[in-house]
Amino acid sequence: MFDKWLRPQTVEQPDGLLEYQLLADDGLIEDDELVERLGREVMRNYLAPGELANVFDDLGAPEVAGYLRKNKFPADRKIRHGDFGEIITGALYRRVRRWCVPVLKLRYKQTPAQAVQGTDVLAFRFRQDPPTIAVPEVKTRAYRDWKVGNEAYDSLEKVLGRLDESIAFLMARCHDRGHTFLSHRLGALLREGAPRHVERHMLFVHDAKSWKEDIVTGLGAKVTQRTELTVVKIDDLKEFVGRVYDAAETAPASATTSGKDNRTAGTA
């Protein structure tokens, strides 16, 4: 679904070390179907398989939507938009780019408004030599913000400086879930001197009408190491995110209770 929804657009590459890709909706999926399927993706990012079944004997209970609003989905629009950007990023790396994304971090929020430690998303290619780690810094904007490039650059520098902490968090969560192969692979990356290649990525989920290419020009002049920038343009982003979360509240419970994690780990 994601590869049909987000299609590469023709862009002019900036000078320097920034590699730029623009993704947008080409209308290959009907709008209502898209919102419904994204609602399911949102729901499974917040809920572990079987979690609702532990709360409700009847998964069709009308209380489910209220439970999700109170305990899982953030009410604050800024936080909700940030979570949505993280969800889109994780799905893009798993489903389209075929990276391994071991953990959906939003499941580990203690409260809807709380951030989870570490990087927004970490993606891996364990079979490459050396193993490769993509570190995407995610920014979501429903309005024109000329500072977004600088903020993303500064944030990426910070998370790269604490990368081992983020890997250790993922390793512990994989161990908790009994994913021995992944926990061992992640642990191997933490050994002193262990070979690994780190890629610097940025991903902006942005309102289509508010997006301006001069953000790319400014960012291109700032980066001093090879960095991949992906911009996802969405029409009427604020309204769109609201519709997707509304759809998530009524997404079929089977999407999160089948006992399978629907390829959370992607392709290693």
Side-chain angles (χ1 to χ4, degrees):
M1 184 271 287
F2 276 83
D3 56 342
K4 291 184 178 179
W5 171 40
L6 298 175
R7 304 291 295 174
Q9 309 295 303
T10 301
V11 295
E12 182 177 344
Q13 291 297 321
D15 295 332
L17 297 172
L18 187 69
E19 298 182 10
Y20 172 39
Q21 182 181 46
L22 178 65
L23 304 177
D25 186 354
D26 275 350
L28 299 180
I29 302 178
E30 293 293 332
D31 184 67
D32 289 344
E33 178 186 357
L34 174 62
V35 169
E36 178 183 352
R37 295 177 73 171
L38 285 175
R40 295 180 184 180
E41 185 68 26
V42 164
M43 189 179 191
R44 65 182 295 274
N45 267 264
Y46 289 98
L47 291 166
E51 183 173 347
L52 280 180
N54 293 328
V55 181
F56 299 99
D57 293 330
D58 177 6
L59 291 177
E63 294 87 356
V64 168
Y67 172 83
L68 293 173
R69 284 193 296 269
K70 180 180 179 181
N71 296 284
K72 293 295 179 179
F73 299 159
D76 183 274
R77 179 177 290 169
K78 184 177 181 180
I79 296 173
R80 182 173 287 197
H81 283 191
D83 285 1
F84 180 76
E86 183 174 322
I87 290 167
I88 295 299
T89 301
L92 180 64
Y93 278 79
R94 292 193 330 269
R95 300 179 183 276
V96 180
R97 297 178 174 174
R98 312 299 291 176
W99 290 74
C100 171
V101 179
V103 172
L104 301 178
K105 285 179 55 183
L106 295 179
R107 291 179 179 178
Y108 296 93
K109 284 189 169 191
Q110 292 183 329
T111 65
Q114 180 194 42
V116 184
Q117 71 179 65
T119 58
D120 296 325
V121 176
L122 278 183
F124 301 83
R125 295 200 192 278
F126 291 114
R127 294 174 183 166
Q128 290 187 350
D129 186 17
T132 300
I133 310 169
V135 185
E137 175 61 27
V138 185
K139 297 295 182 186
T140 307
R141 294 291 185 271
Y143 54 88
R144 169 76 168 132
D145 180 8
W146 63 270
K147 297 183 295 183
V148 67
N150 288 334
E151 291 178 3
Y153 180 89
D154 293 341
S155 296
L156 183 57
E157 292 298 312
K158 291 178 181 178
V159 299
L160 286 169
R162 304 181 66 177
L163 180 57
D164 281 0
E165 295 178 18
S166 296
I167 295 174
F169 173 83
L170 299 185
M171 180 187 68
R173 302 292 75 76
C174 287
H175 176 76
D176 292 343
R177 291 156 49 196
H179 292 181
T180 305
F181 171 81
L182 285 173
S183 60
H184 284 177
R185 287 285 189 139
L186 291 164
L189 296 173
L190 295 173
R191 297 173 188 159
E192 186 174 356
R196 67 189 192 188
H197 174 64
V198 178
E199 294 187 3
R200 304 160 61 92
H201 294 205
M202 298 180 186
L203 194 138
F204 300 163
V205 178
H206 209 286
D207 180 80
K209 292 181 180 177
S210 301
W211 174 250
K212 299 296 181 183
E213 293 290 323
D214 59 353
I215 293 175
V216 179
T217 304
L219 188 56
K222 187 176 182 66
V223 299
T224 58
Q225 299 182 57
R226 181 179 175 273
T227 304
E228 295 186 18
L229 169 65
T230 301
V231 176
V232 175
K233 290 201 310 184
I234 298 177
D235 291 331
D236 300 316
L237 179 62
K238 186 185 299 184
E239 185 262 347
F240 185 78
V241 173
R243 290 176 59 207
V244 168
Y245 271 83
D246 287 344
E249 291 178 3
T250 57
S254 59
T256 59
T257 58
S258 64
K260 298 180 181 180
D261 219 1
N262 196 17
R263 285 180 21 201
T264 297
T267 301

